[in-house]
């Protein structure tokens, strides 16, 4: 998760266990507009076998459907599923396997699934480097369902919900920038997965093109600092949100807080 950053450095800001593993969350987001209930990312899901999930050491949390239920949503309520990208820990929960018909179905039957066109075309042709992340059973059923909307460019996809397109982590990673009351929230996804990834060169080895990630983070962080945006972290086990400030070392976290303090 920290690429070439030595453990002596990252372990000061993100703790690991005796097996050298770190805890990460799969924090999805619900955004309600006047006429849409948008789910941003869907976690791993549960379609793969036990060996697969032993490898990712899935544990804890409410689960996608459980988490939605605890907040008063049924799968049928979701009008839109916004997938930042198609890596398995971001899109897997969007497709379920129906054991009686032995077929794949959308978890959210009434939803349009939004994926960037660049990411979709990249993922369906697959590549050696990301083969472990782009799983057919997570992706192809969406295309076959007729519920797929391909997003071509940066724009306001829903009222108050805009898209920033990135290419460093994987081509066509979409980062949502959301206006909520007088605030602007950025769901930083895999561009800045945890608060420990704020330094612009602290990046994941999963990134396909590190230099692009660095440039994209720098652009976003400068914009977020000047606009006083709130960052919402998808993978940080401990910190849900933060604001930013300029320090002698660069842009860093200012206030850290829980999502419930904003909404
Ligand atoms: Zn990813």
């Amino acid at each position: 998760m920290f690429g070439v950053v030595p453990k002596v450095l990252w372990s000061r800001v993100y703790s690991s266990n005796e097996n050298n593993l770190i805890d990460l969350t799969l924090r999805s987001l619900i955004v309600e507009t006047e006429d849409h209930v948008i789910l941003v990312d869907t976690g791993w899901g549960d379609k793969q076998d036990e060996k697969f999930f032993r490898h990712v050491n899935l544990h804890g949390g409410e689960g996608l459907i459980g988490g939605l239920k605890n907040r008063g949503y049924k799968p049928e309520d979701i009008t839109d599923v916004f997938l930042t990208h198609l890596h398995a820990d971001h899109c897997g929960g969007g497709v379920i396997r129906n054991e009686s018909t032995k077929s794949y179905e959308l978890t959210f039957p009434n939803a349009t699934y939004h994926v960037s066109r660049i990411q979709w075309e990249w993922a369906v042709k697959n590549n050696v480097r990301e083969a472990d992340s782009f799983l057919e059973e997570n992706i192809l059923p969406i295309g076959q369902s007729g519920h797929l909307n391909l997003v071509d460019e940066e724009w306001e996809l829903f009222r108050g919900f805009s898209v920033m397109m990135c290419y460093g982590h994987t081509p066509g990673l979409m980062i949502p920038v959301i206006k909520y009351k007088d605030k602007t929230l950025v769901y930083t996804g895999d561009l800045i997965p945890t608060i420990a990834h704020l330094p612009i060169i602290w990046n994941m080895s999963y990134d396909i093109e590190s230099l692009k990630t660095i440039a994209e983070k720098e652009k976003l962080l400068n914009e977020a600092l000047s606009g006083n945006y709130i960052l919402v972290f998808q993978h940080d086990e401990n910190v849900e949100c933060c604001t930013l400030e300029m320090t002698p070392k660069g842009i860093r976290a200012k206030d850290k807080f829980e999502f419930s303090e904003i909404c």
Side-chain angles (χ1 to χ4, degrees), residues 85 87 90 169 190:
H85 61 307
H87 286 166
H90 294 259
H169 178 62
D190 273 354

Side-chain angles (χ1 to χ4, degrees), residues 30-241:
I30 284 277
V31 182
E32 281 197 34
T33 68
E34 275 158 31
D35 38 20
H36 293 267
V37 181
I38 308 152
L39 170 64
V40 180
D41 280 357
T42 61
W44 288 108
D46 58 6
K47 294 186 299 302
Q48 290 76 35
D49 61 16
E50 193 205 337
K51 188 173 165 225
F52 180 92
F53 285 113
R54 207 180 322 125
H55 177 68
V56 299
N57 194 22
L58 201 57
H59 63 280
E62 302 165 289
L64 178 64
I65 302 302
L68 288 169
K69 191 175 170 213
N70 292 342
R71 284 154 191 82
Y73 299 98
K74 297 187 296 294
E76 294 76 24
D77 298 334
I78 306 300
T79 64
D80 299 87
V81 173
F82 178 94
L83 297 173
T84 58
H85 61 307
L86 294 169
H87 286 166
D89 58 322
H90 294 259
C91 73
V95 173
I96 45 171
R97 183 170 157 86
N98 182 326
E99 287 306 331
S100 51
T101 61
K102 307 267 182 243
S103 60
Y104 294 112
E105 294 172 2
L106 298 185
T107 312
F108 305 97
N110 302 324
T112 301
Y113 282 52
H114 305 270
V115 182
S116 80
R117 185 181 299 278
I118 290 169
Q119 173 69 185
W120 181 268
E121 289 172 357
W122 179 257
V124 295
K125 79 172 179 233
N126 215 317
N127 63 76
V128 177
R129 178 70 168 70
E130 290 170 281
D132 291 346
S133 300
F134 290 138
L135 306 181
E136 273 188 8
E137 65 272 27
N138 288 342
I139 298 171
L140 300 184
I142 302 174
Q144 288 153 4
S145 72
H147 286 232
L148 175 65
N149 175 49
L150 294 175
V151 179
D152 281 303
E153 55 192 341
E154 295 188 327
W155 69 306
E156 194 173 3
L157 190 58
F158 308 99
R159 212 170 140 215
F161 185 116
S162 303
V163 175
M164 176 185 167
M165 206 69 85
C166 298
Y167 302 88
H169 178 62
T170 186
L173 168 74
M174 297 197 291
I175 299 297
V177 180
I178 299 150
K179 300 274 182 214
Y180 177 69
K181 296 183 179 168
D182 59 341
K183 299 182 175 69
T184 303
L185 278 62
V186 186
Y187 180 82
T188 53
D190 273 354
L191 182 60
I192 310 176
T194 76
I195 200 166
H197 293 86
L198 285 174
I200 58 165
I201 57 168
W202 282 42
N203 297 318
M204 299 189 281
S205 46
Y206 296 102
D207 293 349
I208 294 297
E209 294 195 66
S210 304
L211 292 176
K212 285 186 183 169
T213 293
I214 290 170
E216 288 160 359
K217 275 172 72 172
E218 195 167 26
K219 177 174 171 282
L220 175 63
L221 288 172
N222 281 315
E223 204 180 303
L225 178 69
S226 62
N228 201 24
Y229 295 178
I230 293 167
L231 305 190
V232 181
F233 299 108
Q234 184 165 19
H235 286 308
D236 198 303
E237 165 71 0
N238 304 303
V239 183
E240 293 186 348
C241 308

